[in-house]
Amino acid sequence: MTVSVQAEDFDLGAEMTAITNGRADIGAVVSFTGLVRDMPGGSEMVLEHYPGMTEKALEKIESEARARWVLQDCRIIHRYGPLEAGAQIVLVLAASPHRQAAFEAAEFIMDFLKSRAPFWKKEAGSGWVDARDADEAALDRWA
Amino acid sequence: MQVLYFAWMRERIGLPKEEINTNAATVADLVDELKGREERYAAAFADMAAVRVAVDQELTDMGASLEGVREVAFFPPMTGG
């Protein structure tokens, strides 16, 4: 399984090893890790999601990335529940024979994940986080 | 059908999901029906520019048909990542 939606933390090194172990045909693995930033008014946040749809939405994004680039492997982990400042939220790994495909696929996955996967952030101090127009606009470059 | 609410829509309406028997043909018809029920629904659906919908766990729009649909979810724009 290449998509996980989980409360537990994840280990970048272990996920990287799981992709590269025992094979020598991969030329590049790009990883993106999203973290909870320390925000004024409180650093804790809660991530709500839509169990069932979340996994489907992430699998769809992954399959779209695989259709656009030559990817030898791909891994998406997204956490939910209460998360403190500094905590890891999301991990995307894209493996390809060449770096450009790996970089672009990781960016594509993150861009779509931000506004097409059913997650909602609530910050302890300021309440529900508003979606940013920039996140929606970021999708246009992949059109 | 099951109707689900997430994030501030869940908070405004006061419940995460409910079973609704409706003859609404489209999502927009269902929204109108809900808004007419009680003030908390009217408040949650006051700004439709801030409401997204999924039908049977696929993102869609307010014009989507509800024929044969088992699950409809309403929520604000998503903020993952």
Side-chain angles (χ1 to χ4, degrees):
Chain A
M1 195 171 73
T2 55
V3 165
S4 301
V5 181
Q6 62 190 45
E8 306 79 53
D9 201 4
F10 51 79
D11 179 345
L12 166 60
E15 298 300 334
M16 177 83 91
T17 301
I19 285 180
T20 56
N21 206 21
R23 58 192 292 182
D25 57 331
I26 294 172
V29 181
V30 165
S31 78
F32 173 87
T33 307
L35 307 170
V36 180
R37 262 181 304 156
D38 199 0
M39 301 298 269
S43 54
E44 204 172 278
M45 72 152 65
V46 178
L47 257 161
E48 182 171 329
H49 80 115
Y50 182 171
M53 178 176 165
T54 312
E55 292 82 355
K56 279 194 215 171
L58 294 177
E59 281 163 9
K60 186 175 173 203
I61 294 167
E62 185 198 324
S63 72
E64 283 169 8
R66 284 179 179 272
R68 288 179 78 124
W69 291 279
V70 175
L71 298 178
Q72 292 156 310
D73 209 341
C74 195
R75 181 88 173 103
I76 304 173
I77 303 177
H78 205 302
R79 297 178 69 193
Y80 63 86
L83 294 169
E84 292 186 352
Q88 305 187 115
I89 306 177
V90 59
L91 176 71
V92 171
L93 292 175
S96 179
H98 303 289
R99 72 179 185 282
Q100 191 182 355
F103 273 125
E104 288 180 4
E107 268 202 290
F108 172 93
I109 290 167
M110 275 309 302
D111 280 353
F112 277 85
L113 183 154
K114 290 219 84 124
S115 45
R116 293 292 183 273
F119 289 100
W120 301 275
K121 292 192 184 105
K122 188 179 192 182
E123 287 170 354
S126 49
W128 294 102
V129 173
D130 284 328
R132 296 164 63 239
D133 290 343
D135 288 336
E136 194 63 33
L139 304 186
D140 292 345
R141 69 175 161 142
W142 304 111
Chain B
M1 68 183 73
Q2 286 279 324
V3 179
L4 287 73
Y5 310 102
F6 291 95
W8 55 255
M9 296 207 64
R10 171 178 53 73
E11 293 179 343
R12 273 181 211 176
I13 290 167
L15 74 178
K17 66 173 160 184
E18 59 188 324
E19 182 71 28
I20 289 183
N21 291 312
T22 178
N23 293 318
T26 66
V27 173
D29 294 341
L30 176 62
V31 169
D32 284 342
E33 190 178 312
L34 291 170
K35 283 166 84 172
R37 278 184 156 195
E38 284 177 57
E39 179 52 37
R40 59 196 169 107
Y41 290 94
F45 289 103
D47 177 11
M48 289 307 290
V51 177
R52 300 288 179 270
V53 62
V55 166
D56 286 338
Q57 305 191 350
E58 290 275 350
L59 278 176
T60 183
D61 55 51
M62 297 298 155
S65 167
L66 294 182
E67 197 182 339
V69 164
R70 294 172 313 245
E71 188 172 299
V72 176
F74 293 104
F75 41 80
M78 294 153 274
T79 53

